[in-house]
Amino acid sequence: MALVVEKYGGTSVGDANRINAVADRIVAARGRGDDLVVVVSAMSGETNRLTSLAHEVSDHPPARELDVLLSTGEQVTIALLSMALNAKGCKARSYTGTQVRIRTDSVHGKARIVDIDDARVRSVLADGYTVVVAGFQGVDEHQNITTLGRGGSDTTAVAMAAALGADECRIFSDVDGVYTADPRVVPDARRLDRITVEEMLELASSGTKVLQIRSVEFAGKYRVPLRVLSSFEEGPGTLITYEESSMEKPMISGIAYHSDEAKLTIRGVPDEPGVAYQILGPISDAHINVDIILQNVSAEDGTANVTFTVHKNDYQKALAILHETAERLGATEVVGDDKIAKVAVVGVGMRSHAGIASKMFGSLAAEGINIQMISTSEIKISVVVEDKYMELAVRTLHKAFGLDSA
Ligand code: ASP
Ligand code: MG
């Protein structure tokens, strides 16, 4: 008999019919003899609806109160799903994050799980119940309700699976797995049967929104057997693996993209120790995350240019800070560009294959796509291009690396 944690996302529980369909799946799994802990999201659109409601009564809703409000979305779903299960003759009980004692830190809106009291869940399972848990929420040491950040139910599910030592954690959504690229951009994209946790992390941080990135980090840390699959159709989904299989690895597993970043350049700064710190220090003091950073080789006159990217939401703020810095350092110019996109190729096969970068740059050049910035990790190469070329770049690379379905 297996212990399985299943998580159903917002669209999978989007209305009463969908909740009944999920209940049918759970009844079937119980029929096969599995013990089940089911984590659910709020019904689709609900978290957004509650967020807008908050902003109708307050320009700056206190983070604590926002968490009290947003956590109700998941509370609705657990109650409805438990009712549906009981109506189908399957004993089920629902629990909020507070009741299960999913303990988190006190950072409202993006709390981190510190501990889960698995004893409660185990005893309810032992009594023959299916346990239905509200995703995305927890409780801090002062009994305040917290939430884990958008998409946080994935992390609840993985954390539950880790705490219980579950045999598998299955994340159900409206996509049937992880693809070689976004099928909306690349119609020939293929579902991957398996992907390593490192590749999954790189894809998630490069714009592929199948799982909340923190859930993948959590899974990696505790080696949770994790599978991503669809609640709308049958299929094996994609298994996240922790070891590279001995089979011949494809060089590249997937292409990711996003256009959430903007680029800032400061020109003509003195090329001397401490300058990068003087430029990026004030940016980080303003809690702005920087992604790619580039400094050119110093020019004849002993000055350099520094370019970096930030999230578009932080663009104006970063630009203002950089102008102040430029004044202080006597820089010649500050320029910004928010019409950029980042496209990345990801694959553990990169470790053992040479020539990936040149193949990538060559195929982009053949399409006349100019590369503005390049950054690499052990298993990823990212380029920044003008945003209007983003989709063309993704399709070009998908084809160049032989990922198109035959
Ligand atoms: N309901 C939350 C959200 O929409 C959490 C989740 O669905 O995972 O982000
Ligand atoms: Mg989600």
Side-chain angles (χ1 to χ4, degrees):
M1 198 171 68
L3 171 57
V4 178
V5 174
E6 295 195 339
K7 180 258 169 175
Y8 292 90
T11 48
S12 302
V13 293
D15 59 31
N17 284 336
R18 292 297 317 158
I19 290 175
N20 273 317
V22 166
D24 286 335
R25 274 186 175 275
I26 294 168
V27 170
R30 291 286 286 153
R32 291 191 293 271
D34 290 347
D35 270 346
L36 280 191
V37 173
V38 182
V39 174
V40 285
S41 288
M43 294 165 78
S44 61
E46 183 63 6
T47 308
N48 289 341
R49 188 185 73 86
L50 293 169
T51 307
S52 327
L53 209 48
H55 287 95
E56 280 176 40
V57 297
S58 166
D59 288 339
H60 302 287
R64 180 188 184 279
E65 306 314 321
L66 203 52
D67 279 356
V68 173
L69 180 70
L70 295 187
S71 66
T72 64
E74 273 70 12
Q75 191 169 338
V76 168
T77 325
I78 54 169
L80 290 174
L81 181 58
S82 294
M83 289 175 195
L85 284 167
N86 283 294
K88 291 176 195 295
C90 173
K91 282 167 62 179
R93 300 191 71 171
S94 64
Y95 295 92
T96 64
T98 304
Q99 289 174 311
V100 191
R101 299 218 67 75
I102 297 181
R103 287 208 310 112
T104 70
D105 62 22
S106 301
V107 185
H108 288 289
K110 48 173 180 222
R112 285 184 177 268
I113 296 175
V114 291
D115 173 53
I116 293 181
D117 176 9
D118 59 303
R120 172 115 196 222
V121 175
R122 284 188 204 281
S123 81
V124 182
L125 285 173
D127 287 340
Y129 288 93
T130 291
V131 177
V132 183
V133 176
F136 173 63
Q137 55 180 266
V139 62
D140 76 0
E141 59 178 330
H142 310 294
Q143 314 304 317
N144 296 304
I145 295 173
T146 55
T147 65
L148 311 181
R150 298 308 301 262
S153 299
D154 294 341
T155 301
T156 305
V158 173
M160 283 303 298
L164 293 165
D167 296 289
E168 189 162 282
C169 180
R170 302 182 187 140
I171 309 277
F172 289 91
S173 71
D174 50 2
V175 295
D176 65 347
V178 180
Y179 275 71
T180 50
D182 185 340
R184 287 169 304 184
V185 173
V186 185
D188 277 337
R190 284 179 295 111
R191 182 183 55 77
L192 296 161
D193 286 326
R194 29 200 319 139
I195 187 165
T196 69
V197 71
E198 298 164 280
E199 290 169 320
M200 197 62 205
L201 278 170
E202 293 282 22
L203 286 174
S205 69
S206 309
T208 302
K209 287 188 190 69
V210 180
L211 289 175
Q212 196 199 34
I213 188 159
R214 271 171 51 198
S215 71
V216 185
E217 288 165 2
F218 216 110
K221 190 162 167 200
Y222 296 98
R223 299 217 154 199
V224 174
L226 185 61
R227 192 182 288 278
V228 177
L229 58 190
S230 164
S231 67
F232 291 80
E233 52 191 276
E234 295 303 322
T238 299
L239 182 70
I240 317 294
T241 61
Y242 300 95
E243 257 142 58
E244 286 169 40
S245 78
S246 51
M247 289 182 318
E248 182 66 25
K249 277 297 287 180
M251 286 190 296
I252 297 301
S253 294
I255 317 284
Y257 68 91
H258 70 78
S259 55
D260 306 339
E261 284 174 36
K263 178 177 88 166
L264 298 98
T265 301
I266 180 167
R267 293 216 171 98
V269 293
D271 182 20
E272 56 190 40
V275 167
Y277 174 64
Q278 287 184 62
I279 294 169
L280 293 161
I283 300 286
S284 107
D285 291 345
H287 302 287
I288 298 173
N289 280 329
V290 170
D291 182 24
I292 302 181
I293 305 171
L294 201 112
Q295 180 180 325
N296 72 326
V297 181
S298 158
E300 299 273 298
D301 63 356
T303 66
N305 305 337
V306 175
T307 302
F308 56 94
T309 62
V310 300
H311 195 278
K312 270 189 184 147
N313 293 343
D314 294 322
Y315 176 53
Q316 292 302 338
K317 200 161 136 197
L319 205 53
I321 294 171
L322 199 58
H323 274 290
E324 283 169 29
T325 307
E327 195 119 324
R328 226 180 18 253
L329 294 175
T332 41
E333 186 181 28
V334 168
V335 282
D337 181 1
D338 62 353
K339 304 242 170 333
I340 60 164
K342 208 165 106 179
V343 177
V345 302
V346 172
V348 290
M350 247 180 236
R351 291 197 182 114
S352 48
H353 288 86
I356 309 275
S358 68
K359 184 171 194 151
M360 180 177 190
F361 304 156
S363 37
L364 293 174
E367 290 294 336
I369 301 172
N370 184 43
I371 298 171
Q372 303 179 2
M373 297 173 89
I374 300 166
S375 79
T376 63
S377 79
E378 210 190 342
I379 63 163
K380 177 170 81 170
I381 303 170
S382 314
V383 294
V384 170
V385 299
E386 191 177 344
D387 61 1
K388 71 176 182 201
Y389 293 121
M390 179 173 78
E391 297 198 354
L392 176 62
V394 173
R395 281 193 291 270
T396 301
L397 295 172
H398 198 265
K399 192 155 185 204
F401 286 101
L403 296 173
D404 282 4
S405 42

